[in-house]
């Protein structure tokens, strides 16, 4: 009978009309991110960083720029750690390359910005800001 | 005497019913299509060239951006080629995890196909159902690798992180849900008479034509040619699983839709078998930090969701590939568009675009 399939389809949508909602009210309600989630800013632990620049070398898109200074004990420290979100592929290769495990993701997925310049940030400055708090 | 001329209409690159940035120049006689030419290049990023200046490890994330709805399969194709080139043996557990991820990705990709086909035919409700269930697969990827679309999970020598118990448990839950999901789709739109009439008997591509165009994947199988790389040139551990290769008979839009539908069922069967027999052990082979494959070239192909995806890599013995060429199924399948659309009404051409299922990231590369 022509139209039987249409009625069957309507039955499915009718059932869901009264069923549980699949969506959440974003931005009031947010879904939790998983443990392995890759995204957001890089959280740098300044004290742990040995300034080897392996993260910058491992990056396939040259999204990381590290400036290093050598102190009186001949130890290397990062002075500036500029991460360009606009170039970042979120591939995790920087974190995997790090021998001292001093970088991780902050898991904030809201990376959109009005201006291109806002896509760049200094992870060292962010680290110092966190320590002050 | 009045004379009529053929009318040229540009569909795309920002037409809502063309997939991505596909532009099709359509020559019309009234409302019938005389000739249609796909125009490409709007999403060209030069990935093949970019790979020449990156190390083998750094090339892998770029493969995610080819066919961005089935990135796991792309990763696998590239990594498989490099493994062949460098003679790396992949651990058993990694092979099983790869199969699970690739098949989950096939399901997700076919759901995008179903969703976009429905929305192109004007059934926006149906699209929401397909995308709702695709979310479930993307959430699984989020658990295992931390990304939903550009996974970058399969690496040279295995997989980067082990599959957690949580992932395996959630995957089992999803596989159990698949029959119920397909039944719901059947009730909602497969049995729908309008849907059937739009798809049945339109834009037929015969087996001979499909072979002539060198098509692959579900598009050639819909024409009745059993061509599946997983069967004819088995890679990974696919030879250990029992699965069917669904084929069509006529090669019309309906067959191309049904093939994908049945493939979801078969993929779920493969995942179930892999989950039942996944061994314990290492998930990554011992790969040198600085990978320098010997001089030579290699071609490795996998059954991507859209067909045969192959990587041809030439190595000059350094850390970077000398040349990479990508055999992209979408690009080749798209060549049949003119043959498929000739004589059709313009509204049916939209259905033909949707069932060829081209992905512009892969077409333009």
């Amino acid at each position: 009978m022509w139209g039987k399939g249409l009625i069957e389809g309507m039955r499915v949508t009718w059932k869901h009309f009264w069923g549980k909602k699949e969506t959440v009210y974003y931005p009031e309600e947010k879904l939790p991110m998983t443990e392995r989630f890759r995204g957001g800013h890089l959280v740098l632990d300044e004290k742990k960083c040995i300034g080897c620049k392996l993260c910058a070398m491992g990056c396939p898109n040259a999204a990381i720029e590290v400036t290093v200074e050598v102190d009186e004990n001949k130890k290397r420290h990062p002075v500036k750690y500029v991460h360009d979100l606009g170039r970042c592929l979120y591939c995790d290769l920087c974190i995997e390359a790090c021998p001292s495990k001093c970088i991780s993701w902050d898991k904030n997925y809201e990376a959109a910005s009005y201006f291109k310049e806002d896509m760049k940030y200094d992870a060292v400055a962010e680290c110092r800001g966190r320590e002050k708090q | 005497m009045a004379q009529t001329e053929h009318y040229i209409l540009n569909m795309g690159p920002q037409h809502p019913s063309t997939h991505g940035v596909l532009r099709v120049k359509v020559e019309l006689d009234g409302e019938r299509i005389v000739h249609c030419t796909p125009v490409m290049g709007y999403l060209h990023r030069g990935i093949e060239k970019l790979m020449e200046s990156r190390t083998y490890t750094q090339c892998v994330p770029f493969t995610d951006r080819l066919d961005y709805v089935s990135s796991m399969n792309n990763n696998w194709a590239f990594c498989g080629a490099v493994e062949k080139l460098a003679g790396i043996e992949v651990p058993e557990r990694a092979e099983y995890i790869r199969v699970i991820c690739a098949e989950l990705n096939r399901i997700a990709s076919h759901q995008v196909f179903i969703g976009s086909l429905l929305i192109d035919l004007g059934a926006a409700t149906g699209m929401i159902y397909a995308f709702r269930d695709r979310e479930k697969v993307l959430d699984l990827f989020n658990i295992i690798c931390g990304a939903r679309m550009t996974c970058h999970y399969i690496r040279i020598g295995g997989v980067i992180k082990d599959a957690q118990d949580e992932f395996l448990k959630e995957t089992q839950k999803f596989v159990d849900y698949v029959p119920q999901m397909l039944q719901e789709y059947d009730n909602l739109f497969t049995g729908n008479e309008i849907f059937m009439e739009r798809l049945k008997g339109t834009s037929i591509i015969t087996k001979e034509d499909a072979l002539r165009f060198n098509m692959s994947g579900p598009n050639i199988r819909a024409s009745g040619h059993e061509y599946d790389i997983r069967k004819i040139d088995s890679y990974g551990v696919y030879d250990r699983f029992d699965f069917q290769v669904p084929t069509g008979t006529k090669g019309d839009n309906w067959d191309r839709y049904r093939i994908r539908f049945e493939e979801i069922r078969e993929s779920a069967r493969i995942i179930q078998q892999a989950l039942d027999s996944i061994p314990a052990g290492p998930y990554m082979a011992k790969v040198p930090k600085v990978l320098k494959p010997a001089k030579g070239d290699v071609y490795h192909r996998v059954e991507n969701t859209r067909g045969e995806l192959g990587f041809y890599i030439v190595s000059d013995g350094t850390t970077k590939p000398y040349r990479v060429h990508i055999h992209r199924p979408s690009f080749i399948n798209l060549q049949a568009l003119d043959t498929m659309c000739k004589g059709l009404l313009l509204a049916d051409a939209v259905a033909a675009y949707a069932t060829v299922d081209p992905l512009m990231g892969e077409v333009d590369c």
Side-chain angles (χ1 to χ4, degrees):
Chain A
M1 190 190 81
W2 204 97
K4 201 178 150 205
L6 288 170
I7 295 164
E8 191 61 51
M10 289 301 283
R11 196 176 291 153
V12 175
T13 44
W14 186 247
K15 209 178 84 195
H16 280 285
F17 186 75
W18 302 105
K20 206 179 119 236
K21 280 189 179 59
E22 294 280 343
T23 47
V24 292
Y25 285 101
Y26 180 81
E28 287 85 15
E29 208 178 318
K30 283 176 188 171
L31 293 172
M33 287 299 108
T34 56
E35 198 189 317
R36 291 180 181 179
F37 181 74
R38 315 197 300 254
H41 286 197
L42 282 172
V43 181
L44 176 78
D45 190 340
E46 202 190 341
K47 288 189 189 113
K48 265 175 147 185
C49 182
I50 54 169
C52 63
K53 294 192 186 178
L54 277 178
C55 48
M57 277 161 67
C59 180
N61 237 8
I64 301 171
E65 214 185 304
V66 194
T67 318
V68 176
E69 76 173 9
V70 185
D71 66 7
E72 63 274 14
N73 300 326
K74 288 188 179 166
K75 287 250 165 95
R76 294 161 69 88
H77 297 287
V79 189
K80 236 177 164 193
Y81 191 104
V82 181
H83 179 214
D84 188 352
L85 289 174
R87 293 182 75 92
C88 187
L89 295 170
Y90 298 101
C91 64
D92 229 19
L93 285 178
C94 49
I95 293 174
E96 285 160 23
C98 183
S100 59
K101 303 274 167 256
C102 68
I103 41 175
S104 58
W105 294 111
D106 73 352
K107 298 183 185 183
N108 175 22
Y109 48 86
E110 294 163 323
S113 68
Y114 281 104
F115 301 102
K116 214 165 123 188
E117 300 78 59
D118 297 345
M119 305 292 276
K120 276 187 184 177
Y121 69 94
D122 184 6
V124 173
E126 279 193 1
C127 175
R128 285 176 190 160
R130 270 194 308 275
E131 276 167 8
K132 263 185 202 164
Q133 277 172 12
Chain B
M1 206 172 91
Q3 271 195 331
T4 55
E5 272 184 3
H6 286 166
Y7 181 74
I8 306 259
L9 181 77
N10 275 301
M11 277 184 82
Q14 63 290 75
H15 191 277
S17 76
T18 60
H19 290 217
V21 282
L22 171 64
R23 173 179 161 213
V24 187
K25 262 166 87 177
V26 196
E27 197 180 325
L28 293 168
D29 177 13
E31 218 181 317
R32 298 247 167 222
I33 293 169
V34 182
H35 195 63
C36 77
T37 325
V39 185
M40 299 149 196
Y42 290 93
L43 202 65
H44 178 70
R45 295 145 296 173
I47 288 181
E48 285 178 3
K49 194 73 191 163
L50 280 172
M51 283 181 174
E52 288 171 16
S53 56
R54 265 100 182 142
T55 63
Y56 287 94
T57 324
Q58 286 178 335
C59 287
V60 185
F62 286 97
T63 61
D64 285 331
R65 274 88 187 160
L66 287 170
D67 179 352
Y68 42 80
V69 295
S70 68
S71 57
M72 289 279 191
N73 286 286
N74 296 345
N75 291 168
W76 196 354
F78 182 80
C79 293
V82 179
E83 280 153 13
K84 228 188 223 180
L85 195 63
I88 298 166
E89 194 79 33
V90 181
E92 194 96 322
R93 185 173 172 86
E95 291 281 23
Y96 275 77
I97 299 172
R98 282 178 176 195
V99 168
I100 295 171
C101 289
E103 291 308 315
L104 279 174
N105 217 169
R106 198 179 307 277
I107 296 177
S109 174
H110 286 342
Q111 278 166 336
V112 174
F113 164 83
I114 293 172
S116 50
L117 170 67
L118 287 161
I119 202 156
D120 284 352
L121 296 178
T125 317
M127 171 252 174
I128 299 293
Y129 282 78
F131 273 63
R132 175 198 67 187
D133 296 325
R134 175 174 175 256
E135 276 307 293
K136 293 190 170 72
V137 180
L138 297 188
D139 285 344
L140 290 174
F141 290 156
N142 205 349
I143 294 172
I144 198 167
C145 68
R148 289 153 50 84
M149 280 177 78
T150 47
C151 297
H152 190 215
Y153 176 63
I154 295 174
R155 304 286 178 90
I156 299 161
V159 292
I160 191 63
K161 282 168 185 164
D162 199 7
Q164 320 95 310
D165 288 340
E166 185 196 0
F167 170 77
L168 298 174
K169 226 162 59 192
E170 291 294 320
T171 310
Q172 183 62 55
K173 252 193 231 170
F174 177 74
V175 173
D176 294 340
Y177 169 69
V178 168
Q180 183 198 335
M181 172 184 100
L182 293 179
Q183 186 59 47
E184 193 173 61
Y185 292 176
D186 266 339
N187 291 346
L188 188 69
F189 40 78
T190 310
N192 187 310
E193 285 82 359
I194 302 168
F195 185 67
M196 272 187 206
E197 283 177 21
R198 284 292 301 274
L199 297 184
K200 276 188 181 170
T202 49
S203 51
I204 294 169
I205 188 131
T206 58
K207 190 173 160 183
E208 289 71 37
D209 274 342
L211 283 168
R212 198 160 54 84
F213 282 117
N214 198 8
M215 288 169 91
S216 55
N219 290 324
I220 198 166
R221 291 198 283 273
S223 302
H225 185 58
E226 202 179 309
Y227 182 78
D228 191 321
I229 312 289
R230 291 174 295 175
K231 282 274 187 202
I232 60 163
D233 184 12
S234 183
Y235 55 95
V237 286
Y238 273 114
D239 50 351
R240 297 183 196 172
F241 304 120
D242 169 40
F243 64 98
Q244 304 291 322
V245 179
T247 48
T249 47
K250 278 173 77 184
D252 57 355
N253 279 337
W254 179 255
D255 275 348
R256 280 191 287 276
Y257 162 70
R258 284 308 293 176
I259 292 286
R260 263 112 173 171
F261 206 88
E262 290 307 318
E263 274 187 13
I264 294 181
R265 218 184 293 276
E266 291 304 320
S267 289
R269 264 183 71 199
I270 297 173
I271 299 168
Q272 184 61 62
Q273 291 171 50
L275 284 173
D276 291 342
S277 52
I278 185 166
Y283 54 89
M284 191 71 173
K286 282 205 172 75
V287 183
K289 281 263 181 214
V290 182
L291 188 63
K292 273 188 186 173
K295 263 186 188 175
D297 57 348
V298 73
Y299 180 73
H300 182 68
R301 54 183 184 170
V302 302
E303 182 69 24
N304 192 10
T305 47
R306 280 161 187 78
E308 176 186 333
L309 175 73
F311 275 87
Y312 176 67
I313 303 174
V314 182
S315 162
D316 56 357
T318 59
T319 53
K320 294 168 185 172
Y322 175 75
R323 174 81 171 96
V324 180
H325 177 71
I326 311 164
H327 177 282
R328 294 105 64 196
S330 293
F331 176 69
I332 292 151
N333 290 343
L334 203 58
Q335 312 307 317
L337 202 63
D338 185 39
T339 313
M340 286 166 75
C341 291
K342 244 174 214 160
L344 281 185
L345 289 168
L346 186 60
D348 286 336
V350 175
Y353 298 165
T355 56
V356 173
D357 198 19
L359 211 121
M360 296 321 281
E362 198 177 57
V363 172
D364 292 338
C365 176

